[in-house]
Amino acid sequence: MKILAILVLALLAAMAYVRLSPNDPARWHQPIKGDRSKDFKAGAIRVIPGTEQDFESLQDIALGWPHTRVLAGSVEEGRITYITRTAFWGFPDFTTVERRDGTIALYARLRFGGSDLGVNAKRLDAWIDALAQR
């Protein structure tokens, strides 16, 4: 019984750490490096043709996504970093969207772990699909 209690407490402590650890905007809200789309183990980059209006539309799409809020930046700045949390554990993923000359770069990556199992690439592709529907 003691071992079960210890395991439950360890699980609760891990959940609390994931949900409550601070997310430093200076670390995550950085210019996106890269000029082409790419998937990698911990995230993805997408670079698409886009206008200022498309960039603004992506803001609406991102904020309509479940468990997503702005961490830093603004439409006026031309770069916005969002934090999206998983429903149960609250794992944070960070997505930076950056307006460039004639293109928009999107960079999604995880904070904890070694692999996101493709979740960030799927979210970027869903946002881009939603933008194409407008």
Side-chain angles (χ1 to χ4, degrees), residues 24-33 40-45 71 79-84 91-98 105-113 115-116 119-121 123-124:
D24 181 10
R27 176 179 177 194
W28 299 102
H29 187 63
Q30 296 290 324
I32 299 171
K33 294 178 176 131
F40 46 96
K41 198 173 178 183
I45 294 175
L71 178 70
R79 181 182 316 117
I80 307 169
T81 299
Y82 305 93
I83 181 171
T84 302
F91 281 106
D93 287 332
F94 297 93
T95 305
T96 301
V97 180
E98 182 176 270
L106 302 93
Y107 175 35
R109 64 267 191 218
L110 58 72
R111 174 170 177 189
F112 296 108
S115 172
D116 69 356
V119 170
N120 283 297
R123 183 174 53 258
L124 291 183

Side-chain angles (χ1 to χ4, degrees), residues 24-112:
D24 181 10
R27 176 179 177 194
W28 299 102
H29 187 63
Q30 296 290 324
I32 299 171
K33 294 178 176 131
D35 57 358
R36 57 189 161 100
S37 297
K38 174 182 171 185
D39 290 355
F40 46 96
K41 198 173 178 183
I45 294 175
R46 299 288 183 265
V47 180
I48 61 171
T51 65
E52 187 171 335
Q53 184 177 1
D54 293 331
F55 182 76
E56 291 173 10
S57 293
L58 277 168
Q59 163 88 333
D60 296 335
I61 292 165
L63 292 178
W65 198 258
H67 314 289
T68 299
R69 66 175 178 79
V70 172
L71 178 70
S74 66
V75 169
E76 296 76 28
E77 179 184 331
R79 181 182 316 117
I80 307 169
T81 299
Y82 305 93
I83 181 171
T84 302
R85 291 189 176 272
T86 59
F88 180 73
W89 277 96
F91 281 106
D93 287 332
F94 297 93
T95 305
T96 301
V97 180
E98 182 176 270
R99 187 178 66 233
R100 297 177 174 175
D101 189 27
T103 63
I104 298 172
L106 302 93
Y107 175 35
R109 64 267 191 218
L110 58 72
R111 174 170 177 189
F112 296 108

